[in-house]
Amino acid sequence: MAESSCPSSSAAAPSITITLPDGSTRTYGQGVTGLEIAESIAKSLAKAAIAVKVDGQQRDLCDPIMTDAAFEIITLDSDEGLEIMRHTVAAQILACAVKNLYPEAKLAIGPTIENGFYYDVEFKEPLSEDDLDKIEKEMRKIKESNAPIQKSLNSKDQAVKAFEKRSEPYKVKIIEESGQEDNFQLYAQGETGFIDLCRGPHLPSLKHVGAFKLMKVAGAYWRGDQNNQMLTRIYGTAWRNDKELKEYLQMLEEAEKRDHRKLGAQMDLFHFQEEAQGSVFWHAKGFVIYNQLENYIRRRLRDVDYQEVKTPQLIDNKLWEKSGHWGKFRENMFVVPDEVPNTDEDGPVITGKGRLMAIKPMNCPAHVQIFNQGIKSYRDLPIRMAEFGCCHRNEAHGALHGLMRVRQMTQDDAHIFCREDQILDEVKAFVELFYAVYQDFGFTDIQIKLATRPEVRAGDDAVWDRAEAAMAQGLEALGLDFEVTPGEGAFYGPKYEFHLRDAIGRTWQCGTCQLDFVLPERLGASYIGEDGDKHIPVMIHRAVFGSLERFAGILIESTGGKLPLWIAPVQAVVATITGDADGYAQEIYDRLFALGLRVELDTRNEKINYKVREHSVAKVPVIFVVGNREADEKTVAVRRLGGKDQEMMSLDAAIESLVTECKPPY
RNA sequence: GCUGCUGUAGCUCAGUGGUAGAGCGCACCCUUGGUAAGGGUGAGGUCGAGAGUUCAAUUCUCUCUAGCAGCACCA
């Protein structure tokens, strides 16, 4: 029999001091529960309470408090409260509904995620999205029961038995491999017989549950390992009430309109097709964006002492063997035989006897080849070598995603060859450059990760210590918050990852900065030090945008296609109201064109309403509208995207201000 | 690569075991209109590819392929 964790506090118990968030203190008997404290403060508070925080730790309302502690009550109004509610919806309502409808289903895990939750379940038959309605209906039934949720603490043996009895092998595995021996928390739902294993806390009762909706089903590997069984993951979202849920769903709908793949088609920027899976066909308008990005970063790099190079696309696999890519990265490489194809009708196209070449997946080995030409002195370092290198990676089909994940990409790549004592300065300079650039694009929601040494690595620990310290310092020096992801570094060195969000909140790594102690040595890079001896330089792989494709995708989504003037594929349209103004419009167009602006002329036989709407939908930032009046007075009516009114300006002034506005920020 | 879903006109999407429809767009005509859709007429599709079941397949089944969502992997 499980022992209850919710004993009533005994009057004879020694007293403890509870400190409330406002700083006031209260005295209670040892073992007092959060609920009892809440009741002693106010009845309404006890009613709204769903969990508590004891010394910053989330606990259930029924947990006894044994020592002096800082104490806080969690209600649904807080983010924490909402998350607890989502957790309960997953673990108690979704899981229970699944078991009611599919008794043979095996429950795995059901955590919360941003805006919702999921549950991984093994089903006998595949589950499709159509089944979600049925499950959701069952969930509503369960919610309406308003059942209380009771916790019990169990020994390992008791917990294992409870789940073996219910034939839940995943739960048993979790318990057995937890490394924990006692105090397994099982949450039971009223008299239903349903239990779930959970860290908690949970709502004290289902009556606190607000509005929820199941969103989608997908596959997910057990424990995130692709060698394991694939389970069915059911995603859902939950909110305090119907209104919040509706708002969230509407927000998602709006966000989908900003999807770069949708805008790419609507705005005639690029397309993809079967025959070149995962590679972009940039249309004229889209390529403007690409070129603007490239030229912008080129100007930036020039001013911080980078030199630009260009290296071969096809390189003999011998070099890839030497660099280590053949061993570590080959499954992501495209390999071509260096052989004249057989032209016989029936014969095989290639014999397979030719030497193998690989299309480069990265630029780094080629950059070392340039570094290796001639003898380098310590005085030459650092050498910052940049390349807008076009790389091909044979990405898994399921990984491809519009511009965000492609098989042919161009990185704003560079490699810095430096001495170990220069690492900190170089890393700092990079982060400064990175931030200056992202500011120009208005990106502020940037997640920074510092990925540190993995288990399998090259280089000795003293070097790793120094490298990781330098990288942490580089961020700290600029006062930036970052998350350390231990073990996530490359085998050759620690790295920064800079992540940006897309329209629906998925994050994508864009910028990166990686230290490398291995490649220069493998490829024989060296410099003559002050001491006259040969030394191996450190190599820093770094990219600000990451890939131009991905960055363009993120930019399109973050702006909803309303690109800043300097990047906009069409900066202005000159549109006529009547055919009488065609000559004047042409004159304006010619002047803007001569000034290097990207401008279009619209003298079509359409009403001005129609033209304005069409160019607005196409997200052209500025429309110069001209009719007879403007032609007579040498003026233009300037209409800006999203604006309600137009501004009458003299032609000269309008052109001058447009030219100024179209200037890049750098 | 794995799991599930989807593939019909340039785009968005209906629809059917008897070889297809709408809106937008496009072309032509009328309209010269003052800031987010003026009117008329017309042209467009081997219904993703292949195989099977059937008298008959765009529709049912299988395989392949691509896309979407997620997982794994990664800029």
Side-chain angles (χ1 to χ4, degrees), chain A residues 50-68:
Chain A
I50 58 165
V52 295
K53 253 167 117 173
V54 180
D55 282 337
Q57 292 268 329
Q58 287 186 2
R59 307 288 300 272
D60 279 298
L61 276 180
C62 66
D63 284 335
I65 301 169
M66 304 309 286
T67 56
D68 293 353

Side-chain angles (χ1 to χ4, degrees), chain A residues 98-139:
Chain A
V98 164
K99 290 299 282 189
N100 288 352
L101 295 172
Y102 309 89
E104 282 153 355
K106 313 284 180 218
L107 301 173
I109 55 162
T112 57
I113 48 174
E114 198 173 6
N115 299 325
F117 56 87
Y118 65 77
Y119 216 111
D120 284 350
V121 185
E122 184 192 314
F123 287 95
K124 236 178 153 185
E125 300 292 325
L127 193 74
S128 89
E129 234 137 89
D130 299 336
D131 299 315
L132 292 184
D133 277 347
K134 193 167 69 179
I135 299 176
E136 222 175 271
K137 238 180 230 156
E138 182 68 17
M139 288 172 73

Side-chain angles (χ1 to χ4, degrees), chain A residues 251-299:
Chain A
M251 190 274 290
L252 273 188
E253 241 172 76
E254 283 303 308
E256 272 167 31
K257 291 183 192 156
R258 300 202 312 268
D259 187 313
H260 74 281
R261 292 163 302 185
K262 214 169 231 174
L263 288 171
Q266 277 165 16
M267 296 172 69
D268 191 20
L269 304 177
F270 56 81
H271 84 270
F272 291 90
Q273 65 186 51
E274 278 193 36
E275 293 86 345
Q277 199 191 359
S279 298
V280 191
F281 287 79
W282 283 106
H283 299 191
K285 285 184 179 159
F287 199 50
V288 166
I289 300 172
Y290 181 103
N291 274 327
Q292 290 302 315
L293 292 176
E294 186 175 307
N295 290 333
Y296 165 89
I297 212 76
R298 187 171 272 135
R299 293 189 294 271

Side-chain angles (χ1 to χ4, degrees), chain A residues 2-17:
Chain A
E3 47 178 302
S4 169
S5 74
C6 301
S8 54
S9 58
S10 142
S15 60
I16 57 171
T17 305

